[in-house]
Amino acid sequence: MKYINLVHFACFFLICYGEKDRFDNYRVYNIEVNDDAGLGEFQKLEESSSRIVFLNEPNIHQPFQILVPPDQLANITELFKRSAVKTEVQHENFQKLIDEEQPHDTAYGGHFGWDRYHDLDVIYAWLDEMLQKYSSVLKNHNYGKSVEGRALRAVKLSKKEGNPTIFIESTIHAREWVTVATATYFLNELLTSDDGEIRKLANNYDWVFVPVVNVDGFAYSHSNNRMWRKTRKPHSIIKFCVGSDPNRNFDFHHGDVGASTNPCAETYAGPSPFSEPETLALSEFIETFDNIKLYISFHSYSQLLLFPYGHSKEHTPNHKDLNQIGQKTKQAIAKRYGTQYKVGNIAEAIYLASGSTIDWVYATRNVSLTYTFEFRDKGRYGFLLPADQIIPNSLEVIDGLKAMVEEAEALQYL
Ligand code: 0X9
Ligand code: ZN
């Protein structure tokens, strides 16, 4: 799915309509490699712009998943034989997972809720509703426009002057739908919950939410390709390869490691730092706050809680604290349903990745606590987490966030 397939476009009087990409009989393989040679094979494959979709980055720390079109099965089987790896067919037909992601009730009339995934218009309409209902404490911030002209939006909840700020960034990767679902669930809790701990969080901190960073990509993942990750800005003379990985596009060690120079790759860093209007606008928006104490980036999937750095295995000066707060968060997450997260610095826990938001915020904005959550699950459904898991995911993440703030307070970061 790395190229726009011309066959999927119909044009009438120069207006072109995209059709939804289908994934009939695409197989999902679960792959475990345990040496650099095996890893290299998959990294080469990813760079080669074959039509195999990498659902996450090849790495040696945990299994990763790839999506193989039926006509690529022979090729991939060859590669498996060549490079002693452990592989397992996880799904025979990826399209079936897509079809089963949302509930099938016919009563849905575009209303907002957490029983299904919503598109950008429905999410923005809900934000407007909340802004109206809670106008004394919730403020709107339009901080820019996307390449395709969509509004880049944030909201800030503030009940008291002088509160420290906690910043929640969500859906920088388009296909990670459970991130915005969880962000909106949490915002709703902060606005409406009677739970004492949540009330305390809402009263004692200013909360900034960017529910969807990558608006164009997100819209595209709804309208055309459920597996879209990047932005939608065309970059190369290879016009069929669109977008950069916004989580490799930030101006800190941009393009150093764990990012691609190939415009067709899923981790293409972009031609220059902040080449994407969406990341530039987000960085400028972040710069308008001088009191961010905790910055959190919502991703899916893999059940990880990650902290800087991603560009190097070097430990940050407060590595121990970041880890301790992370461990408490992990324990709190596990309590409700037993969901197991792994905690660590990005480079050692998963893979090197430079130019990400949390590294940039940590290193250049002087914010000592920055984390990336990778939500449920560990690959069974991956990005297609069934909608009936939105609330369980949100509840355990909120348990984690409560513990995170509590431990950060105990260590006097907040
Ligand atoms: O590769 C990524 O950008 C993240 N994984 S994802 O599957 N959601 O794409 C991991 C990012 C690790 N964190 C940072 N480098 N900030
Ligand atoms: Zn992501």
Side-chain angles (χ1 to χ4, degrees), residues 167-173 176 178-184 186 209-211 295-300 357-358 371-375 393 397-398 401:
F167 197 109
I168 307 245
E169 165 226 295
S170 161
T171 326
I172 197 165
H173 287 143
E176 298 168 11
V178 70
T179 56
V180 59
T182 304
T184 50
F186 181 41
F209 283 83
V210 179
Y295 184 98
I296 301 167
S297 176
F298 282 176
H299 287 253
S300 71
T357 57
I358 68 160
Y371 289 94
T372 294
F373 277 80
E374 296 277 357
F375 294 155
N393 181 73
V397 166
I398 293 173
L401 291 171

Side-chain angles (χ1 to χ4, degrees), residues 62-81:
Q62 57 237 341
F64 58 93
Q65 289 80 39
I66 60 173
L67 191 50
V68 183
D71 63 354
Q72 298 290 314
L73 284 174
N75 286 347
I76 201 70
T77 320
E78 263 309 296
L79 190 150
F80 289 165
K81 273 194 215 140

